[in-house]
Amino acid sequence: MGVNADPLVGGEGFLTTTIEAFANWGRKNSLWPMPFGTACCAIEMMGVFASRYDLSRFGAEVARFSPRQADLMIVSGTITYKMASVCRRIYDQMPEPKWVIAMGSCTCGGGPFDSYAVVQGIDEFLPVDVYVGGCPPRPEALIDAVMKIQKKIEMKGAPVV
Amino acid sequence: MSFDLEQATVLLQNEFPQDILDIKEYRNETTLLIKKDQIHRFCKHLKDNLDFTFLADLTAVDYLEVKLPRYEVVYHIHRFGPDCEENIRIRLKAELTDDNPKIDSVASIWSSADWLEREVYDMFGIEFTGHPDLRRILMPEDYGPFPLRKDFDVRNREASKESFEKALEDGRD
Ligand code: SF4
């Protein structure tokens, strides 16, 4: 990235960068989450969206209930096998590029439910970017996860599509 | 007219001398063990003549390796009195054997039995004859085992996985 402020070349100045870096800068600061809340963790996620913790400070407050408009899936809550196919379907419907946060012990590894109905970790059927442990995790932990996603977008980038 | 549980029990005993196999009293709760093939007639009498209008719960117990016959279906039935002292509750039980886990449905008497019987069918594999729509209610419809039976390993996820993979494929077509 280079900055030019020479009035002879660019008037009030211009900035050179790559499209990829520019697009990722935009993506990172305007994540649109798809809240997939199925149990108690979802309450904590709502807390993160609400005014006290206010995820909009990170540009990620526009929770989209349509997967077509979202690029960050926050899976928060116990995922049963009956729900898993729905979860996967919604992930498939999200446009690229997209990221996934596994919020809570249940999504990371089944949590307290070592039972016939519960998936022992959503990475059985989804590519997870950030795992957040806790039962439920504190809102700060989810904010930290969103920041990790932002860092991931910035550092590694995503292909411009 | 005041109406209490003792009175109800006496009335029932007079009406069904052959069909009440056992009466248990414990902490002001009354449990009647009913002959399995009389359950529909008995419940209908309770509702039509004694005003037990509310089926509060219907569930089952698997007594594998504890006693025979193996299953018990349990009915909790409530009667709303004109004032709260006359609210009374009665519990019915019926025993089912392992080789023929079938009993008449009471869904035509109390419609709340519809989903409760589906749940008992889903979890224990007990069939309710005469039920309007006996399908699984919680587990996927193509699921095989009955998870609350005591001989089912609760950590066995194979059947769930199979249903999940099938659901994925069906969704992708
Ligand atoms: S991890 Fe704990 S708080 Fe979160 S959904 Fe599971 S049981 Fe609930």
Side-chain angles (χ1 to χ4, degrees), chain B residues 17-34:
Chain B
Q18 307 292 316
D19 306 327
I20 302 180
L21 304 177
D22 186 27
I23 300 184
K24 276 203 188 82
E25 298 271 352
Y26 182 66
R27 295 199 173 172
N28 297 329
E29 294 180 4
T30 304
T31 307
L32 309 181
L33 186 67
I34 310 293

Side-chain angles (χ1 to χ4, degrees), chain A residues 80-89 92 113-120 124-126, chain B residues 123 137-141 143 147-148 152-157 160-161 164 167-168 171-172:
Chain A
T80 59
Y81 277 102
K82 206 173 169 184
M83 201 62 187
S85 49
V86 180
C87 188
R88 176 72 213 192
R89 191 99 174 269
D92 288 343
F113 308 109
D114 184 5
S115 91
Y116 56 92
V118 176
V119 182
Q120 304 295 296
E124 272 185 38
F125 63 91
L126 276 186
Chain B
M123 293 291 140
I137 189 169
L138 299 170
M139 303 306 291
E141 289 195 15
Y143 192 76
L148 286 193
F152 177 77
D153 173 15
V154 284
R155 291 188 169 138
N156 183 350
R157 284 177 273 270
S160 297
K161 264 182 211 166
F164 161 63
L168 263 192
R172 285 220 179 96

